[in-house]
Amino acid sequence: MSPTGALTRRLRTRAVRFDTRGPSDVAGLETAFERGELTPESVVCLIGKTEGNGGRNDFTRELAVRAFSQVFERRLGLSATEVEERIVLSFSGGTEGVVTPHVVAFAVEPDDGPAPPGPRLAIGVGMTRAFEPHEIGRMAQVDETARAIAEIAARCGVAPGDVHLVQMKGAIPSYSYEEGLAAERAGRPLRSNMVWSRAASALGAAVATGEVSRSALSDDVICQDGSLYSTTASCSAKPGMGRTELVVFGQSAAWGGDLVVDHTVLLDMLDAAAVDALMARLGLRSGDPRLVGAFAKSEADPRGTLRGHRHTMLTDDDISDTRYSRCVVAAVVASRLGDPRVYVSTRAEHHGPDGGGPLALVVRAT
Amino acid sequence: MSPTGALTRRLRTRAVRFDTRGPSDVAGLETAFERGELTPESVVCLIGKTEGNGGRNDFTRELAVRAFSQVFERRLGLSATEVEERIVLSFSGGTEGVVTPHVVAFAVEPDDGPAPPGPRLAIGVGMTRAFEPHEIGRMAQVDETARAIAEIAARCGVAPGDVHLVQMKGAIPSYSYEEGLAAERAGRPLRSNMVWSRAASALGAAVATGEVSRSALSDDVICQDGSLYSTTASCSAKPGMGRTELVVFGQSAAWGGDLVVDHTVLLDMLDAAAVDALMARLGLRSGDPRLVGAFAKSEADPRGTLRGHRHTMLTDDDISDTRYSRCVVAAVVASRLGDPRVYVSTRAEHHGPDGGGPLALVVRAT
Amino acid sequence: MSPTGALTRRLRTRAVRFDTRGPSDVAGLETAFERGELTPESVVCLIGKTEGNGGRNDFTRELAVRAFSQVFERRLGLSATEVEERIVLSFSGGTEGVVTPHVVAFAVEPDDGPAPPGPRLAIGVGMTRAFEPHEIGRMAQVDETARAIAEIAARCGVAPGDVHLVQMKGAIPSYSYEEGLAAERAGRPLRSNMVWSRAASALGAAVATGEVSRSALSDDVICQDGSLYSTTASCSAKPGMGRTELVVFGQSAAWGGDLVVDHTVLLDMLDAAAVDALMARLGLRSGDPRLVGAFAKSEADPRGTLRGHRHTMLTDDDISDTRYSRCVVAAVVASRLGDPRVYVSTRAEHHGPDGGGPLALVVRAT
Amino acid sequence: MSPTGALTRRLRTRAVRFDTRGPSDVAGLETAFERGELTPESVVCLIGKTEGNGGRNDFTRELAVRAFSQVFERRLGLSATEVEERIVLSFSGGTEGVVTPHVVAFAVEPDDGPAPPGPRLAIGVGMTRAFEPHEIGRMAQVDETARAIAEIAARCGVAPGDVHLVQMKGAIPSYSYEEGLAAERAGRPLRSNMVWSRAASALGAAVATGEVSRSALSDDVICQDGSLYSTTASCSAKPGMGRTELVVFGQSAAWGGDLVVDHTVLLDMLDAAAVDALMARLGLRSGDPRLVGAFAKSEADPRGTLRGHRHTMLTDDDISDTRYSRCVVAAVVASRLGDPRVYVSTRAEHHGPDGGGPLALVVRAT
């Protein structure tokens, strides 16, 4: 890309999806390299599901990151830190129910072929600036997230309305006990935790894509007004991260290759109709080999009901609602796609309406 | 009914479905009585889901049976034993994911109105003879189960091919340690447990309805040949039961009322297409108020894969595969019906193909 | 008792402990009645452990209460409500690890025999007045709880310092969403939940027994200052209860019988030394048939460490810390007593120091 | 050591115990190296507990092995395979209840100091020969395991009766479906799984140490006769391992250093008396800084009772009995030691009597 961020040459995205036999199973990626389906140099992002519980004591993500990082360390001659800075390794624990542990690897490379007949999947990666603890969960985080997304999209030649998925690892800067206490005494308690960081990140995406007007937002509506939401955000948050890591998936006429992306939002967990409509737009049928990746967010409806009837996900002390919600949304989506390789991560503050969540599909163009 | 078992007067089925706030919440049933939607005298069967784990330490079923039995004890002036002999109280623990704890109460009463334009839901209740422990899981159980189902169906004026759901509580007669040892030494180890009783019960239903030929069966194929199965069976098995309790749901031109029943079989957990086809046959749309009850069986595919891709339900030591399988099938079915009030019970030996399971719907006729 | 509350005649406590085969197994109680070890008329309190998870979806307690209530309804010719008003049925879910599901039934009856050589177990039952939602978790609840305990103890001839166990079901009056909002806006958010009710109840016991000075307490120290605690309290709290139900166990020279009670406090979960010292005071050896009941409270240390080393109970998203803490304390206590029939309930705000909890033993006098 | 395996020079064992903040936390080991408490070259074995579930989907062990292996790869310039061949990395998942995730690193080095006043801890590492699948769980495995243990002990100058702990990773050679079928048809079904491999390994240890007479054993008593057991074995088994990996801990007058080892067997889960007696022999008090490592095996009594009273560990479908049994034994042992850094692994076929298990302590000599 040029110093100004504009595309000077056509790029294209390539993607390979592979099943894993465990969190550290890198064989699928190695095979893709050996077959020349991807080059290690061109990989920008891995998104995968591992067999953990998705909670605090889920170590499968760390195991996967270590294992996949080592592939790139070895093949590219880089240190672990250098790999971390170069490639987004985004693993989500929890393959409840039908979900096959799997990974989708995305690569970006120059495209010297003829221009495709229509817009194609563009992927851009970036970071926000570092946040102060007091900014998290407040408009400062929303604004900077929106700014960074807009910048990445622009750099990739993606119009705001053509963004379909914003995969984020939300910042949660650490703070001392004293800082926390001081903020509380000043009447502005810190929000530097997972809930708030996901919420503000999603609203940042909503502002960047124009789904929510900046003027409708304030510190007070965050985590309060469920009617304000993004349909493209997919954020998890990670304690200790000072900046938010961003991967923007959009459509651009300036990109080549054979991949396209589109998205929808499930209005609730049972909203199979939304999936059907999205598949129809993409010309995708059940079991279609054109499918490359399905990415969704889920949440057990916090009001405790679904279509007017009680659900028990929030009052079960044996199994976490996060596990149920991933299991349900993955089952519903997989039953329409005819494919159990579905990425669903959970907790969806301002990601779709309460009890619902976004779904993005990456497919090969017809 | 006449001594020969033939119908001498037209009957009709009535059904009321109600949500519960806990396993002992009988308010919905009381309301149905107070509103005259059902009379306590006419109730033949309650089928309900409770918030348990569906396993050995699930006491929600016992609590529900106690609570609902007491309603009938009080209203009919009967003892608990008399209620047990008169009314089938069939509760299944496990409302994983979207499932609303709920009950469907079925009643049978004389029908003096005009004959309906087509066949209607007929319900018959009965028992097998008492089994010896050595018969369970073998052809003796299959044959007697088939005989009893056929007799109940005939008595109700239901042709074998018009049976759509056979709800069973399978016999598991107790035996002494010495009996068990003796059987083992004689080379015919006892099969008197849940797995075998469910399997033989399902095959009994398959023989009764003509889905499987008696001549294709032998002691050796039970629990071995997954290609032999019923699409109408729904059996749980209960240690200590000497006889199998049976409720046959079929269609009969001799019955009145406004309820009909039909069924299908999901070929695997993601087989939403089967649900769609069944709904189309019944003219049922998503969220349709005509729906009265949905009854399914589920099983995590014992081969460990789904549509050729690995699933992790059988290798998770935190959460039982039975909970996952109910969660998944309920989500898939509910997403098509647009209704989370779905009854799914699990473990499905010879209930549909491996990894699949039957689904029956009771709806109001158009 | 006389109208002034003073004992006019010597009473004595009898107790029977029995194992159960499930939450509804009342056979042990029936046997005690049949053998004349207890009379239904004299029973004042049942304390039992059931096989639930002790959480929100634990229905074993309800099942046990129903089953045991029915015994008294039948034997005493009372309604369920009348039994509830007459007899404290206190069941706690969670028999993690070694714990045998069991019940201890306590009865109080006139004692016409000779005065015993020393003080004996006295039991008194009572209720606080009804609480307003805004009183819960604040000094109003502490004071009224202390007052009611002191009154019950005085009525039984038990000096404040001779109280050894105060079994409580803490009030949690319901309130409307509007009331909650109004309280929040007034700067005094309601505390009407389990945490606060347990905390204030325990501090009420501490004031009544003189362990904590009333002057050391204020609304602000509740749930804040872990150095203020009771060593006799054992409170669970129940949403919807308007009043706190109290059972006071103490020693009194005015009572007869052959039972005594004493107590200690475990300073942390591993404090076997405290158990040993208590056993030594009572002359109790491991496996001693003199033991009638062991009653403890447990809590995973909220600071996340134990004797300076990290524990993982609070960061495990598969298993609740409440289950671990009951499992651990029961194992430690049972290993000293040589008896797995130990009652441990969990969450212990102001019940012993942070991470510790009270233990009371009822034994036959030597 | 000399070619004949006899000690030609005095050796000594050093050990460092450190807590971890997660399965991959190697800081404690690095610190030990930096402080010179150990050298990477001298380390022979790491035994650690990680925060997993100890079951099939526990990936914490793999993560720990990767992380610790990398330390040695980097420091010794070895490949992962070379580290695996040189150093036993033995991690067990499951820190239920009070257990602190921690590691004990053992090193063996030449000892040039004066001879100690008494026998000292000797550690020897080795492997069995490779097993055929049909040998596992049968006398062939018992005999070869006994032979290998005896050889290692002899090489270290440890008499059979001075062996106190045999840490094993039991072989489970893979086999094809056809091999399995053929064995079944030949009337000798393969036993190549975890249960049988642990059982035969433990009996191998019992034979090597003289606790069980070889003549009392046959293929038929394995997994049948619980009265035959080792009090020093600690075996986990790993599918795919062709050989059993062995670490023998014993006492030898030929070794130097300041560490000693002793062991006992808990007759059941509540057998705190056995712990006390062992501590007395070692002169160890509660909270004693002399303690270096505590290693135990646990098992929920398969008979479903403990001291004549029912336990519910085997009938709980929410939580595995393996988690309960580790939680209980760790709590009991830690409460005597006054230290939550206890290694307990579970499943204990022929490791102590049914429901009991061995305990070994490594401590600094007085």
Side-chain angles (χ1 to χ4, degrees):
Chain A
M1 300 171 197
S2 76
T4 63
L7 283 171
T8 53
R9 185 182 177 184
R10 194 162 62 243
L11 300 173
R12 70 178 173 204
T13 306
R14 297 181 80 176
V16 169
R17 179 166 60 157
F18 53 91
D19 294 6
T20 59
R21 299 169 65 87
S24 66
D25 178 13
V26 301
L29 183 63
E30 300 277 19
T31 300
F33 291 151
E34 281 150 26
R35 289 185 183 159
E37 295 165 357
L38 296 175
T39 64
E41 291 76 11
S42 63
V43 172
V44 295
C45 173
L46 264 59
I47 305 183
K49 287 299 301 182
T50 56
E51 305 85 327
N53 66 15
R56 291 165 297 174
N57 62 325
D58 184 344
F59 298 99
T60 60
R61 295 169 293 204
E62 183 184 353
L63 177 56
V65 167
R66 265 181 183 262
F68 282 95
S69 176
Q70 286 187 302
V71 171
F72 291 102
E73 293 165 32
R74 195 176 56 245
R75 287 187 173 260
L76 299 176
L78 299 176
S79 70
T81 307
E82 288 166 335
V83 170
E84 194 184 342
E85 281 167 5
R86 179 186 177 125
I87 302 171
V88 172
L89 299 175
S90 183
F91 289 93
S92 162
T95 57
E96 292 84 3
V98 298
V99 178
T100 300
H102 71 287
V103 176
V104 189
F106 292 96
V108 172
E109 53 187 28
D111 180 27
D112 298 322
R120 289 293 183 260
L121 171 61
I123 296 184
V125 175
M127 302 285 274
T128 63
R129 66 166 168 81
F131 289 109
E132 297 293 321
H134 69 82
E135 296 179 314
I136 300 301
R138 294 203 164 88
M139 290 310 297
Q141 189 186 10
V142 173
D143 288 336
E144 166 60 10
T145 305
R147 187 204 61 73
I149 294 169
E151 183 187 290
I152 296 167
R155 197 204 311 144
C156 296
V158 172
D162 290 334
V163 170
H164 292 283
L165 172 64
V166 186
Q167 184 84 8
M168 295 177 271
K169 215 171 285 166
I172 310 184
S174 305
Y175 56 89
S176 69
Y177 178 74
E178 288 72 25
E179 288 177 275
L181 213 62
E184 206 159 327
R185 283 181 183 146
R188 268 174 69 91
L190 294 184
R191 299 175 170 181
S192 193
N193 64 29
M194 287 194 275
V195 170
W196 288 102
S197 183
R198 283 191 303 258
S201 297
L203 289 173
V207 168
T209 59
E211 291 191 284
V212 168
S213 161
R214 170 64 177 81
S215 63
L217 296 178
S218 68
D219 287 359
D220 290 344
V221 303
I222 301 175
C223 284
Q224 284 295 329
D225 184 347
S227 74
L228 303 166
Y229 57 80
S230 165
T231 65
T232 69
S234 177
C235 181
S236 59
K238 196 177 161 190
M241 293 255 301
R243 307 195 290 167
T244 293
E245 183 186 82
L246 300 155
V247 190
V248 175
F249 293 71
Q251 289 277 93
S252 170
W255 285 54
D258 67 345
L259 298 173
V260 294
V261 62
D262 200 353
H263 81 284
T264 187
V265 64
L266 280 68
L267 296 180
D268 66 21
M269 280 189 163
L270 298 181
D271 191 5
V275 187
D276 289 346
L278 175 60
M279 290 173 70
R281 280 208 302 277
L282 288 163
L284 202 71
R285 55 180 180 73
S286 176
D288 202 316
R290 289 173 47 223
L291 182 64
V292 171
F295 307 97
K297 265 281 185 184
S298 72
E299 177 112 57
D301 197 304
R303 292 162 295 194
T305 58
L306 186 57
R307 308 237 167 150
H309 297 278
R310 181 166 75 102
H311 69 76
T312 62
M313 290 182 271
L314 298 171
T315 52
D316 187 327
D317 283 325
D318 297 310
I319 298 179
S320 162
D321 64 282
T322 62
R323 308 205 73 173
Y324 281 133
S325 84
R326 282 192 298 262
C327 189
V328 166
V329 170
V332 169
V333 172
S335 75
R336 303 319 294 161
L337 295 175
D339 190 325
R341 291 166 293 179
V342 175
Y343 174 99
V344 181
S345 90
T346 200
R347 296 293 188 214
E349 301 86 354
H350 299 293
H351 294 67
D354 285 347
L359 168 68
L361 298 180
V362 173
V363 306
R364 302 208 183 281
T366 43
Chain B
M1 300 173 197
S2 77
T4 63
L7 284 171
T8 53
R9 184 183 178 184
R10 196 164 60 242
L11 300 173
R12 69 176 176 206
T13 305
R14 296 180 80 176
V16 168
R17 178 167 60 159
F18 54 90
D19 294 6
T20 58
R21 298 169 65 89
S24 66
D25 178 13
V26 300
L29 183 63
E30 300 278 20
T31 300
F33 290 151
E34 281 150 25
R35 289 184 183 162
E37 294 164 357
L38 296 175
T39 63
E41 292 77 11
S42 64
V43 172
V44 295
C45 174
L46 263 59
I47 304 183
K49 288 299 304 181
T50 55
E51 305 82 330
N53 66 15
R56 291 165 299 174
N57 61 325
D58 184 345
F59 297 98
T60 61
R61 296 169 292 203
E62 183 184 351
L63 177 56
V65 167
R66 266 183 182 260
F68 283 95
S69 176
Q70 286 186 303
V71 171
F72 291 102
E73 292 166 33
R74 195 174 56 245
R75 287 188 174 259
L76 298 176
L78 299 176
S79 70
T81 307
E82 288 166 335
V83 169
E84 192 184 343
E85 282 166 3
R86 179 185 177 128
I87 301 171
V88 172
L89 299 175
S90 185
F91 290 92
S92 163
T95 58
E96 291 85 3
V98 298
V99 179
T100 301
H102 71 287
V103 176
V104 189
F106 292 97
V108 172
E109 54 187 27
D111 180 26
D112 297 324
R120 289 293 182 261
L121 170 61
I123 296 184
V125 174
M127 301 284 274
T128 63
R129 66 165 169 81
F131 289 109
E132 297 292 321
H134 68 83
E135 296 179 315
I136 300 302
R138 294 202 165 88
M139 290 309 298
Q141 188 186 9
V142 173
D143 288 336
E144 167 60 11
T145 304
R147 187 205 62 72
I149 294 169
E151 184 187 290
I152 296 167
R155 197 203 311 144
C156 295
V158 171
D162 290 335
V163 170
H164 292 284
L165 172 63
V166 186
Q167 184 85 6
M168 294 177 271
K169 214 172 284 168
I172 309 183
S174 305
Y175 56 88
S176 70
Y177 178 73
E178 288 73 24
E179 289 177 275
L181 213 61
E184 206 160 325
R185 283 177 183 149
R188 268 174 69 90
L190 294 183
R191 300 175 171 180
S192 195
N193 63 30
M194 288 194 276
V195 170
W196 289 100
S197 184
R198 282 191 303 257
S201 298
L203 289 173
V207 169
T209 58
E211 291 191 282
V212 168
S213 161
R214 170 63 176 80
S215 63
L217 296 178
S218 68
D219 287 359
D220 289 345
V221 303
I222 302 175
C223 284
Q224 285 295 329
D225 184 347
S227 74
L228 303 166
Y229 59 78
S230 166
T231 66
T232 69
S234 176
C235 182
S236 59
K238 196 178 160 189
M241 293 256 301
R243 306 196 289 169
T244 294
E245 184 186 80
L246 300 155
V247 190
V248 176
F249 292 72
Q251 288 278 92
S252 170
W255 284 55
D258 67 344
L259 298 173
V260 294
V261 62
D262 199 352
H263 81 283
T264 187
V265 64
L266 279 69
L267 296 180
D268 65 20
M269 280 188 162
L270 298 181
D271 191 5
V275 187
D276 289 346
L278 175 60
M279 289 174 70
R281 283 208 302 277
L282 288 164
L284 202 71
R285 54 179 183 73
S286 176
D288 203 316
R290 288 173 49 221
L291 182 64
V292 171
F295 307 97
K297 265 283 185 182
S298 71
E299 176 113 55
D301 197 304
R303 292 162 295 195
T305 58
L306 185 58
R307 309 233 169 154
H309 298 278
R310 182 165 74 103
H311 69 76
T312 63
M313 291 182 269
L314 298 170
T315 51
D316 187 327
D317 284 325
D318 297 311
I319 299 181
S320 163
D321 65 281
T322 63
R323 308 205 74 174
Y324 282 132
S325 85
R326 282 191 299 262
C327 189
V328 167
V329 170
V332 171
V333 172
S335 75
R336 303 319 295 160
L337 295 175
D339 192 325
R341 291 165 294 178
V342 174
Y343 174 100
V344 181
S345 91
T346 200
R347 296 294 187 213
E349 301 86 354
H350 298 292
H351 293 67
D354 285 346
L359 169 68
L361 299 180
V362 174
V363 306
R364 303 209 182 280
T366 42
Chain C
M1 300 171 197
S2 75
T4 63
L7 283 172
T8 54
R9 184 181 178 185
R10 195 162 63 243
L11 300 174
R12 69 177 176 206
T13 305
R14 297 180 78 176
V16 169
R17 179 167 59 157
F18 53 90
D19 293 7
T20 58
R21 299 171 64 87
S24 66
D25 178 13
V26 300
L29 183 63
E30 299 278 19
T31 300
F33 290 150
E34 281 150 26
R35 289 183 182 161
E37 294 165 357
L38 296 175
T39 64
E41 291 76 11
S42 64
V43 172
V44 295
C45 173
L46 264 58
I47 304 183
K49 288 298 304 181
T50 56
E51 304 86 327
N53 65 15
R56 291 165 298 174
N57 60 325
D58 184 344
F59 298 98
T60 60
R61 296 170 292 204
E62 183 184 353
L63 178 55
V65 167
R66 267 181 180 261
F68 282 95
S69 176
Q70 286 186 303
V71 171
F72 291 102
E73 293 166 31
R74 196 175 55 246
R75 287 188 173 259
L76 298 176
L78 300 175
S79 70
T81 307
E82 288 165 335
V83 169
E84 194 184 342
E85 282 166 3
R86 179 184 178 130
I87 302 171
V88 172
L89 299 175
S90 184
F91 290 93
S92 162
T95 58
E96 292 83 4
V98 298
V99 179
T100 301
H102 71 287
V103 176
V104 189
F106 292 97
V108 172
E109 54 187 27
D111 180 27
D112 297 323
R120 289 292 182 261
L121 171 61
I123 297 184
V125 175
M127 302 285 274
T128 62
R129 67 165 168 80
F131 289 109
E132 297 293 320
H134 68 83
E135 296 179 314
I136 300 301
R138 295 202 165 87
M139 288 310 297
Q141 189 186 8
V142 173
D143 287 335
E144 166 60 10
T145 304
R147 188 205 61 73
I149 292 169
E151 182 187 290
I152 296 168
R155 198 204 309 144
C156 296
V158 172
D162 290 334
V163 170
H164 291 284
L165 172 64
V166 187
Q167 184 84 8
M168 295 176 270
K169 214 171 285 167
I172 310 183
S174 306
Y175 57 87
S176 69
Y177 178 74
E178 288 72 23
E179 288 177 275
L181 213 62
E184 207 160 325
R185 283 179 183 148
R188 267 174 69 91
L190 294 183
R191 300 176 171 181
S192 195
N193 63 30
M194 288 195 275
V195 170
W196 289 101
S197 183
R198 282 191 303 258
S201 298
L203 289 173
V207 168
T209 59
E211 291 191 284
V212 169
S213 161
R214 170 63 176 82
S215 63
L217 296 178
S218 68
D219 287 359
D220 289 345
V221 303
I222 303 175
C223 285
Q224 284 295 329
D225 184 347
S227 73
L228 303 166
Y229 56 80
S230 166
T231 67
T232 69
S234 176
C235 183
S236 59
K238 196 177 160 189
M241 293 256 301
R243 306 195 291 167
T244 292
E245 185 186 81
L246 300 155
V247 190
V248 175
F249 293 71
Q251 289 278 92
S252 171
W255 284 55
D258 68 344
L259 298 174
V260 294
V261 63
D262 199 353
H263 81 283
T264 187
V265 65
L266 280 68
L267 295 181
D268 65 19
M269 281 189 162
L270 298 181
D271 190 5
V275 187
D276 289 347
L278 175 60
M279 290 174 69
R281 282 208 302 276
L282 288 164
L284 203 71
R285 56 180 180 74
S286 176
D288 203 316
R290 289 173 47 222
L291 181 64
V292 171
F295 307 96
K297 265 283 185 181
S298 71
E299 177 112 58
D301 196 304
R303 292 161 295 193
T305 58
L306 185 57
R307 309 235 168 153
H309 297 280
R310 182 166 74 103
H311 70 76
T312 62
M313 291 182 270
L314 298 170
T315 51
D316 186 327
D317 283 325
D318 297 311
I319 298 180
S320 162
D321 65 282
T322 63
R323 309 205 73 173
Y324 282 132
S325 84
R326 282 191 299 262
C327 190
V328 167
V329 170
V332 170
V333 172
S335 75
R336 301 321 293 160
L337 295 174
D339 191 326
R341 292 166 292 178
V342 174
Y343 174 99
V344 181
S345 91
T346 199
R347 296 294 187 212
E349 301 86 355
H350 299 293
H351 294 67
D354 284 346
L359 168 68
L361 299 181
V362 173
V363 306
R364 301 207 185 282
T366 41
Chain D
M1 300 172 197
S2 77
T4 63
L7 285 171
T8 54
R9 183 181 178 185
R10 195 161 63 243
L11 300 173
R12 68 176 175 205
T13 306
R14 295 180 80 176
V16 169
R17 179 166 59 159
F18 53 90
D19 293 6
T20 59
R21 299 170 65 89
S24 66
D25 178 14
V26 301
L29 183 64
E30 299 278 20
T31 300
F33 291 150
E34 282 150 27
R35 289 184 184 162
E37 294 165 357
L38 296 175
T39 65
E41 292 75 13
S42 64
V43 172
V44 295
C45 174
L46 263 59
I47 304 183
K49 288 298 303 182
T50 56
E51 307 81 328
N53 65 15
R56 293 166 295 176
N57 61 324
D58 183 345
F59 298 98
T60 60
R61 295 170 292 205
E62 183 184 352
L63 177 55
V65 167
R66 266 181 182 261
F68 283 95
S69 177
Q70 286 186 303
V71 171
F72 291 102
E73 293 165 33
R74 195 175 55 245
R75 286 186 175 262
L76 298 176
L78 299 176
S79 71
T81 307
E82 288 166 334
V83 170
E84 193 183 343
E85 281 166 5
R86 178 185 178 126
I87 301 171
V88 172
L89 299 176
S90 185
F91 290 93
S92 163
T95 57
E96 292 83 4
V98 298
V99 178
T100 301
H102 72 286
V103 176
V104 189
F106 293 97
V108 172
E109 54 187 27
D111 180 26
D112 298 323
R120 288 293 182 262
L121 170 62
I123 296 183
V125 174
M127 301 285 273
T128 63
R129 66 165 169 80
F131 289 109
E132 296 293 321
H134 68 84
E135 295 178 315
I136 300 301
R138 294 203 166 87
M139 289 309 298
Q141 189 186 8
V142 173
D143 288 336
E144 166 59 10
T145 304
R147 187 204 62 73
I149 293 168
E151 183 187 290
I152 297 167
R155 198 204 310 144
C156 296
V158 172
D162 290 334
V163 170
H164 292 283
L165 172 63
V166 187
Q167 184 84 7
M168 294 177 271
K169 214 171 286 167
I172 310 183
S174 305
Y175 56 88
S176 70
Y177 178 74
E178 288 71 24
E179 288 177 275
L181 213 61
E184 207 161 325
R185 281 179 184 148
R188 267 175 68 91
L190 294 182
R191 299 175 171 181
S192 194
N193 63 31
M194 287 195 274
V195 170
W196 288 101
S197 184
R198 281 191 303 257
S201 298
L203 289 173
V207 168
T209 59
E211 291 191 283
V212 169
S213 161
R214 171 62 176 81
S215 63
L217 296 178
S218 69
D219 287 359
D220 290 345
V221 305
I222 302 174
C223 284
Q224 284 296 329
D225 185 347
S227 74
L228 303 165
Y229 57 80
S230 166
T231 66
T232 69
S234 176
C235 182
S236 59
K238 195 176 160 191
M241 293 255 301
R243 308 194 289 169
T244 293
E245 184 186 81
L246 299 154
V247 189
V248 175
F249 292 71
Q251 290 277 94
S252 171
W255 284 55
D258 66 345
L259 297 174
V260 294
V261 63
D262 199 352
H263 81 284
T264 187
V265 65
L266 279 69
L267 296 179
D268 66 19
M269 280 187 164
L270 298 181
D271 191 5
V275 187
D276 289 346
L278 175 60
M279 289 173 69
R281 282 208 303 277
L282 288 164
L284 203 71
R285 55 180 182 71
S286 177
D288 202 317
R290 288 173 48 223
L291 181 65
V292 171
F295 306 97
K297 265 283 185 182
S298 72
E299 176 113 57
D301 197 303
R303 292 162 296 194
T305 58
L306 185 57
R307 308 236 168 153
H309 298 279
R310 181 165 75 102
H311 70 75
T312 62
M313 291 182 269
L314 298 170
T315 52
D316 186 326
D317 284 326
D318 297 311
I319 298 179
S320 163
D321 65 281
T322 63
R323 307 204 74 173
Y324 282 132
S325 83
R326 281 191 299 261
C327 189
V328 167
V329 170
V332 170
V333 172
S335 75
R336 303 318 296 160
L337 295 175
D339 191 325
R341 291 165 293 178
V342 175
Y343 174 99
V344 181
S345 92
T346 201
R347 295 295 188 213
E349 302 86 354
H350 299 293
H351 294 66
D354 285 346
L359 168 68
L361 299 181
V362 172
V363 306
R364 302 208 183 279
T366 41

